[in-house]
Amino acid sequence: MNSLFRLPEASTHAVTVDHIFYLLLALSGATVVLVFGLILLFAVRYRRGSKAKRGLMPEILSREFEIGWTLATLLTFIFLFWWASSADLSSLDAPPHALEIHVVAKQWMWKTQHTNGAREINALHVPLNRPVHLLMSSQDVIHSFFVPAFRVKQDVVPGRDTDIWFQASKSGTFPLLCAEYCGTNHSMMRGKIVVMRQDDYARWLTQQPEGDDLAHEGAKLFVSQGCAGCHAASSNVHAPRLAGLYGRTVQLADGRTVSADDAYIRDSILQPKRDVVAGFEPIMPSFKGLLDDGEIQSLTAYIRSLREEQQND
């Protein structure tokens, strides 16, 4: 039920967030009633001229009551912290079968791209009752991807990949906003999320203009930017091979180990001398300023596809 004072619950995450909110509201209301009730009670009972007793407090209000009250408050706080933090952290850990969609923010629009290459501006079509994993980057300043009906909000920071996932539970069209002041026309950075039944979404996707998917775009960049000269399997240059790299643990020259995820690949492209792979020389130049965030996403998708190809071999 929607109303002026209640947002629709259009995702599984929204239900949890609302339950936490209602519990906090109830606890806060009970505390306010208790405090103001006691103030009113004491103001009347101990008013000037009242014959109420003003001696020592009853035994029940002694040390045991204070300890019990303090413990109850502490346990309530710990429970609320655990519940809220668990809900928040779970929104960052996408299910492995989630539908992956790339989002690029810039002043003042949201650019989204589906895995088959279909692109949208200030709009995002998603299927109903299926997890959707958003991989996001910014081309200029800090933005914040905010869908009030889903209760999801994630900062989109230049020079850094961020992600979030959700599962829409109600079909319809819902507002997409930027929740971070990002410039003069910040208020114009608006879009919409269109939630469709899964068969309708599949039909809509096939009707979009054909285009190369991210992995194919990344493969073209891999050649045009000269990456293949060192990293291709046929190359004679002593450089790390990329097949099977994504998701693997990488041993670095300084003894550390890192997981080859999106952030590691991005850092390796823009700051190649920071995490040098053990057994290799730091000779790769930085591509900072030569590739935009969309191109880095495409290259990452290509490297990820090399892992999937190897798994299928």
Side-chain angles (χ1 to χ4, degrees):
M1 180 181 68
N2 302 337
S3 71
L4 181 62
F5 301 103
R6 190 168 184 270
L7 287 170
E9 291 179 341
S11 76
T12 53
H13 191 62
V15 176
T16 304
V17 171
D18 282 2
H19 286 167
I20 296 173
F21 172 74
Y22 293 138
L23 177 60
L24 286 172
L25 190 64
L27 289 174
S28 300
T31 303
V32 169
V33 170
L34 177 63
V35 170
F36 280 90
L38 289 174
I39 291 175
L40 181 61
L41 174 65
F42 292 158
V44 174
R45 181 176 175 82
Y46 298 106
R47 68 187 184 280
R48 178 179 294 180
S50 168
K51 296 181 180 178
K53 293 176 61 177
R54 291 177 169 78
L56 296 174
M57 297 178 67
E59 283 294 328
I60 195 172
L61 298 180
S62 61
R63 186 181 62 181
E64 288 77 8
F65 181 85
E66 290 290 346
I67 292 175
W69 174 258
T70 304
L71 280 178
T73 306
L74 178 62
L75 292 175
T76 302
F77 170 78
I78 292 175
F79 171 73
L80 287 172
F81 178 80
W82 166 80
W83 194 11
S85 59
S86 298
D88 196 41
L89 291 176
S90 67
S91 68
L92 303 177
D93 188 16
H97 60 286
L99 176 66
E100 197 171 275
I101 295 177
H102 293 261
V103 178
V104 176
K106 64 177 296 186
Q107 293 172 322
W108 287 271
M109 66 174 68
W110 298 101
K111 298 194 295 185
T112 60
Q113 186 168 11
H114 299 256
T115 51
N116 71 340
R119 294 183 174 89
E120 299 182 80
I121 299 292
N122 289 335
L124 175 60
H125 289 70
V126 296
L128 182 68
N129 293 328
R130 181 176 175 187
V132 177
H133 186 199
L134 301 181
L135 303 173
M136 302 185 287
S137 61
S138 171
Q139 289 189 350
D140 37 44
V141 299
I142 299 176
H143 302 277
S144 187
F145 186 94
F146 181 35
V147 185
F150 293 173
R151 316 292 193 270
V152 295
K153 183 164 77 72
Q154 177 62 275
D155 285 349
V156 189
V157 184
R160 177 184 169 190
D161 291 328
T162 56
D163 67 308
I164 197 168
W165 78 276
F166 60 82
Q167 179 171 314
S169 58
K170 183 178 293 184
S171 58
T173 301
F174 306 97
L176 163 63
L177 308 173
C178 177
E180 187 82 34
Y181 181 73
C182 57
T184 306
N185 291 333
H186 158 72
S187 62
M188 304 297 292
M189 192 168 172
R190 305 167 66 92
K192 61 181 181 181
I193 305 288
V194 182
V195 181
M196 314 170 75
R197 293 192 313 169
Q198 295 196 18
D199 52 347
D200 291 338
Y201 173 76
R203 191 177 306 112
W204 172 86
L205 204 57
T206 59
Q207 294 172 349
Q208 300 312 300
E210 292 185 0
D212 289 336
D213 60 31
L214 280 178
H216 286 150
E217 287 184 5
K220 292 177 181 177
L221 285 169
F222 188 72
V223 175
S224 65
Q225 294 293 329
C227 311
C230 297
H231 292 283
S234 57
S235 172
N236 293 324
V237 178
H238 184 54
R241 297 293 178 258
L242 303 182
L245 169 67
Y246 192 88
R248 197 179 66 197
T249 300
V250 178
Q251 180 69 49
L252 301 182
D254 59 5
R256 293 180 295 125
T257 58
V258 296
S259 176
D261 54 11
D262 288 18
Y264 169 75
I265 293 172
R266 180 189 183 85
D267 289 345
S268 297
I269 295 172
L270 301 180
Q271 306 175 66
K273 292 181 172 54
R274 194 177 80 169
D275 295 327
V276 179
V277 180
F280 295 91
E281 295 296 324
I283 57 175
M284 176 174 159
S286 170
F287 282 77
K288 188 174 184 178
L290 301 177
L291 298 173
D292 61 29
D293 288 286
E295 291 172 327
I296 293 174
Q297 286 185 348
S298 298
L299 280 170
T300 304
Y302 171 63
I303 295 172
R304 189 185 306 116
S305 71
L306 296 179
R307 176 197 64 173
E308 294 165 354
E309 286 179 3
Q310 190 176 64
Q311 289 175 341
N312 294 331
D313 289 341

